[in-house]
Amino acid sequence: MPNGYPALFSPFTLAGKRLKNRIVHASMTTRMGEKGRVSERQLNYYANRARGGAAMIVTEPLSMARHQHIPYKIVAYNDDELDGLKRWADAVESHDCRLLGQIQDPGRGRHEAGRNPEAVGASALPDDLSGTVPRPLTVAEIQQMIEDFAQSAARLKRCGFSGVEISAGHGHLFHQFLSPWSNARDDQYGGDVIGRTRLIAELIAAVRALCGKDFILGLKLPGNDGVPRGIDPPQAGAIAARLANHGSVDYVTFAQGSHARSLEMHVPDGYGPRAPYMPLFHMLRKAIPNVPLMALGRITDPAEADAILARGEAEFIQLGRALVADPAWPLKAEHDRAHDIRYCVSCNNCWYMGAAFHQALCCDNNPRVAKVDEVDYRPKPAASKKRVVVVGAGVAGMEAAWIAAARGHDVTVFSRSGEIGGKAKLRAQLPGGEAVSSIYDYQHAAALRAGTRFELGITADIKNILALKPDSVILATGASMIAPRWLPPDAREFVLDLRVAMQSVLHTKPRQAGTAVIYDMDMSEGTYASAEILGERFERVVIVTPRDAIAEETAMVTHQGINRRLSAKGIEIMTLSEPRWNDDFENGNLEVAQVYTRAKTVIRNVAFFAYATPRAPDIALAAPLRAAGVNVRLIGDCLSPRNVMAATSEGHAAGHAI
Ligand SMILES: Cc1cc2nc3c(=O)[nH]c(=O)nc-3n(C[C@H](O)[C@H](O)[C@H](O)COP(=O)(O)O)c2cc1C
């Protein structure tokens, strides 16, 4: 049956291997490996993406050289994990999906705090983020490493893998050799573009020599690393032309950013355009006109992907985060069910959880990552039908509601605001948040399909809840920011919780005289997105925080973008500062003290002042409901204020628990 995306679902052959469509899973570190071994969870993760319809999957980086010892990376440089590698290949290839292992080494690149004493690199120059200075590899070590990588690639082939991808972007080791910013060698592996590309050229030749032409060999190159004196697009074109022409590799893709202030570029978020790198790909394609190109970077929608292919801008689409959010993205697109895709919202919390907390790959919009039944998940019917009341239509409540209703329960949702989405709805209206709406849009549609009733614009109280004779009540009533201690009670009328204040800012006239001040103890993204809007409405915006930096509770890639935009928009940040409240505020003057020295600054002409602070759960209904003998379950912020990921996952669990 023809589908709506003919270009996306046409086959293509790489290295003599047929790929059933043009969808490729981009490499993403899952952190699911255990002590160098393939875990069951990891097998599920990859098998699910294969079952979900991708034509090819690039794995996370493997340990493919003898110096690589990272516990969550799977050992492929010797025979210790042969069985796991075979099971991995089988779990994917058995679904007519080609599996490629990724060859990569971080070199000096490190985005965690602290130095990496074991780092090797092109030259003894510091990593721009961590300051790690690598030990330069000797020529003999480079050649040993190339030999190791090639031998490991051959081992992967013997285990049933269809190919390998060399990851030379993101500021990792190969990138460090390619870039004049990090490669100051004066031997054959440094100097001009020929010297700097030599390591990868030799690696390509070595893999080909051992694995042959029927083994897919892909190359992920830097397209624009955003580092002054690094690799700009013309340099990237020269590198690609040198490495990829003449049939040396089977495909090329380009990654942006580096281990520097530009790291954010590699996982573009919602603040910029969709598919932001297509103009760059367009340009770089001219350097490698005859090499199959894989478009990459915030491509989330099948129509978008199909159009890129139909316009001839690439031969394949690599999807990273979109396939974390929904492994059945390809199947749903193929069977005209794109409306049923759980979309990636480009929040980068998957990246954050891994990089900052060493957590396995997870997703705000997919509570079932790597579960056996993850693909096109449909809840199983409950043993007996219950009456369920959900209070709150934010993402926690809505997730609980659709799951419970899909399991056959009789579900009623109360929403005081009269709208679906709760606080996520506000986030969706602020800069960078538009895609967030797809989380609750999906939940809403699924809940309606399953017969959920909505009481919109109705404040749930004991009376109207008990009138429904519920067997179970799920409280998803969220949380409110706590007024700062220095703010006197009588001032709380006009100095507001930022989230409450923004509701009215969004609906007021475009521009106002005076200064907007945010007192920031929250450190999360919504606060700075609010500051951006305030920058459009007020003459001046000042963020005052007692901490020594802002945006600390966001991913590094996110706070790089926050700092970049706030700087560009002239939004001022006063760190280590705390308001000192006095009556002069009535005249528009806010006194601020440095937290250590108590030195005083006055911010004048203040026309807007709101606080973004830690939140307290809104649990007023819990005790009376319990007293009335009702089974009550708290989820999301109402249980403990955190983030969207906690909300969707707890909502999901609550919907199954009844
Ligand atoms: C959590 C996470 C981990 C990643 N790990 C890797 C990696 O190990 N190797 C790699 O080449 N790219 C890695 N990437 C980058 C992706 O392959 C891809 O280039 C990037 O996410 C942009 O594609 P997308 O917009 O489709 O997500 C990672 C991305 C994410 C979100």
Side-chain angles (χ1 to χ4, degrees), residues 14 21 54 146 167 370 456 471 554 601 607 619:
L14 286 181
N21 61 44
I146 290 172
S167 177
L456 300 181
D471 299 303
T554 65
T601 308
I619 49 168

Side-chain angles (χ1 to χ4, degrees), residues 26-29 61 102 104 165 167 170 220 266-268 296-299 318-322 350-351 361:
S27 166
M28 278 170 294
T29 296
Q102 193 180 60
Q104 183 252 43
E165 179 181 271
S167 177
H170 304 144
K220 192 172 191 177
H266 91 291
V267 278
L296 168 76
R298 202 173 170 231
I299 299 165
Q318 282 210 4
L319 299 177
R321 295 163 293 174
C350 52
W351 196 92
L361 198 56

Side-chain angles (χ1 to χ4, degrees), residues 141-379:
E141 284 174 321
I142 291 173
Q143 288 166 357
Q144 177 64 64
M145 187 176 72
I146 290 172
E147 173 67 11
D148 281 358
F149 282 139
Q151 289 289 351
S152 301
R155 183 171 292 104
L156 293 182
K157 186 177 182 185
R158 288 197 296 280
C159 290
F161 283 60
S162 285
V164 288
E165 179 181 271
I166 298 169
S167 177
H170 304 144
H172 298 313
L173 182 70
F174 301 138
H175 186 162
Q176 289 157 32
F177 271 84
L178 291 176
S179 169
W181 177 243
S182 42
N183 183 343
R185 298 177 76 96
D186 55 11
D187 61 12
Q188 66 267 42
Y189 293 103
D192 61 8
V193 72
I194 300 176
R196 285 183 279 112
T197 51
R198 191 180 308 280
L199 187 163
I200 299 176
E202 289 181 1
L203 175 57
I204 290 169
V207 172
R208 273 283 186 246
L210 281 185
C211 301
K213 285 241 164 221
D214 61 345
F215 190 63
I216 301 171
L217 179 45
L219 193 52
K220 192 172 191 177
L221 286 173
N224 175 8
D225 70 11
V227 176
R229 292 161 57 198
I231 299 177
D232 59 9
Q235 274 272 341
I239 290 167
R242 171 106 203 125
L243 286 172
N245 279 325
H246 320 298
S248 56
V249 295
D250 298 301
Y251 72 83
V252 166
T253 186
F254 291 99
Q256 327 317 327
S258 188
H259 267 269
R261 246 192 328 275
S262 62
L263 191 63
E264 54 161 323
M265 291 170 73
H266 91 291
V267 278
D269 60 23
Y271 291 87
R274 305 171 72 87
Y277 297 127
M278 287 322 296
L280 178 64
F281 274 70
H282 210 63
M283 202 168 102
L284 293 169
R285 189 174 179 77
K286 296 193 180 106
I288 43 168
N290 301 314
V291 183
L293 185 64
M294 299 198 174
L296 168 76
R298 202 173 170 231
I299 299 165
T300 60
D301 186 273
E304 223 164 41
D306 192 67
I308 289 168
L309 299 171
R311 287 194 298 264
E313 292 173 357
E315 280 64 48
F316 287 90
I317 307 292
Q318 282 210 4
L319 299 177
R321 295 163 293 174
L323 289 183
V324 180
D326 194 338
W329 190 106
L331 276 185
K332 290 176 181 175
E334 188 174 14
H335 296 105
D336 291 328
R337 289 176 51 213
H339 61 275
D340 209 11
I341 290 174
R342 286 195 93 154
Y343 282 99
C344 168
V345 301
S346 314
C347 63
N348 283 330
N349 283 332
C350 52
W351 196 92
Y352 185 35
M353 291 299 133
F357 304 106
H358 296 179
Q359 215 168 291
L361 198 56
C362 50
C363 179
D364 274 20
N365 203 14
N366 178 2
R368 300 193 81 75
V369 177
K371 294 264 192 297
V372 178
D373 54 5
E374 180 192 2
V375 182
D376 202 6
Y377 179 68
R378 290 284 170 270

